[in-house]
């Protein structure tokens, strides 16, 4: 059975509200890694999931322009969190990968973000949270399928890298 028009609008408005609140919270959320702009966190997550990635592919994955991502990458390289090297398949292009310092920073960022969200969700119960995560992933899958159906490249979403990062630590 499909979702009613009213329910679909309620979902959309709820997501819009959360999106706006997350943007607003970005300025008051705890700074998880000194010297790293929170807008660059997605760059770290994508690189962690991809291993090694071209800056142009990184920009496409993040749905951002190459110049913005290039500036973020440069700042992360300067911070020692990413390393830049020539693309072995095309010497004219550059690829980036996470350094050991970047890996450690990403673990701290994920741990700090998890602690922050635990506080926000302190009144939720486990099963309701698990159901919410399932539904949220289903919505993400539906949006991904929608983009693919319209010819957009499906970006890799390496945002489930928590387990991978923790395993590298051990």
């Amino acid at each position: 059975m499909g979702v009613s028009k009213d329910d679909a609008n309620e979902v959309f408005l709820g997501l819009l509200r959360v999106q706006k609140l997350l943007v607003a919270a970005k300025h008051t959320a705890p700074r998880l890694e000194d010297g790293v702009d929170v807008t660059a966190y997605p760059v770290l997550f994508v690189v962690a999931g991809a291993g090694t990635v071209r800056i142009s592919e990184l920009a496409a994955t993040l749905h951002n322009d190459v110049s913005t991502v290039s500036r973020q990458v440069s700042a992360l390289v300067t911070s020692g969190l990413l390393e830049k090297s020539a693309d072995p398949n095309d010497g004219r292009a550059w690829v980036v990968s996470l350094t050991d310092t970047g890996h450690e920073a990403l673990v701290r960022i994920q741990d700090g973000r998890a602690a922050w969200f635990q506080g926000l969700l302190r009144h939720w119960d486990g099963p309701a949270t698990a159901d919410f995560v399932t539904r949220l992933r289903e919505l993400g899958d539906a949006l991904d399928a929608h983009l693919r159906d319209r010819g957009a490249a499906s970006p890799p979403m390496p945002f489930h890298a928590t387990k991978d990062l923790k395993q590298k630590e051990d």
Side-chain angles (χ1 to χ4, degrees):
M1 176 178 195
V3 173
S4 73
K5 187 169 138 181
D6 289 342
D7 286 345
N9 277 322
E10 287 298 318
V11 169
F12 176 79
L13 291 173
L15 286 171
L16 186 61
R17 177 177 181 251
V18 168
Q19 176 192 17
K20 297 296 183 187
L21 289 169
L22 283 171
V23 169
K26 152 174 95 171
H27 301 294
T28 59
R31 293 285 172 222
L32 302 172
E33 191 66 24
D34 289 335
V36 179
D37 186 342
V38 296
T39 63
Y41 288 178
V43 171
L44 291 173
F45 283 103
V46 171
V47 173
T52 301
V53 64
R54 279 180 153 197
I55 294 172
S56 58
E57 293 168 354
L58 189 54
T61 298
L62 294 168
H63 301 284
N64 216 331
D65 61 277
V66 174
S67 62
T68 298
V69 172
S70 184
R71 280 191 302 275
Q72 291 172 324
V73 164
S74 292
L76 293 167
V77 168
T78 300
S79 301
L81 303 179
L82 292 180
E83 61 186 357
K84 206 177 197 183
S85 57
D87 185 337
N89 299 319
D90 180 357
R92 300 168 297 165
W94 293 94
V95 293
V96 292
S97 56
L98 214 55
T99 64
D100 288 341
T101 303
H103 170 77
E104 293 163 4
L106 198 52
V107 169
R108 286 190 299 275
I109 289 167
Q110 287 183 313
D111 288 347
R113 182 189 57 201
W116 184 54
F117 266 86
Q118 278 181 305
L120 291 174
L121 305 175
R122 67 185 172 275
H123 299 297
W124 290 34
D125 68 19
T129 304
D131 186 49
F132 177 75
V133 169
T134 297
R135 296 298 186 177
L136 196 56
R137 286 188 179 148
E138 289 171 355
L139 177 61
D141 291 345
L143 284 168
D144 183 51
H146 173 79
L147 290 172
R148 285 190 209 201
D149 289 346
R150 280 157 183 66
S154 179
M157 291 294 175
F159 301 110
H160 302 296
T162 306
K163 293 177 188 149
D164 296 336
L165 291 172
K166 294 293 186 186
Q167 288 171 354
K168 288 179 186 176
E169 252 187 352
D170 298 339

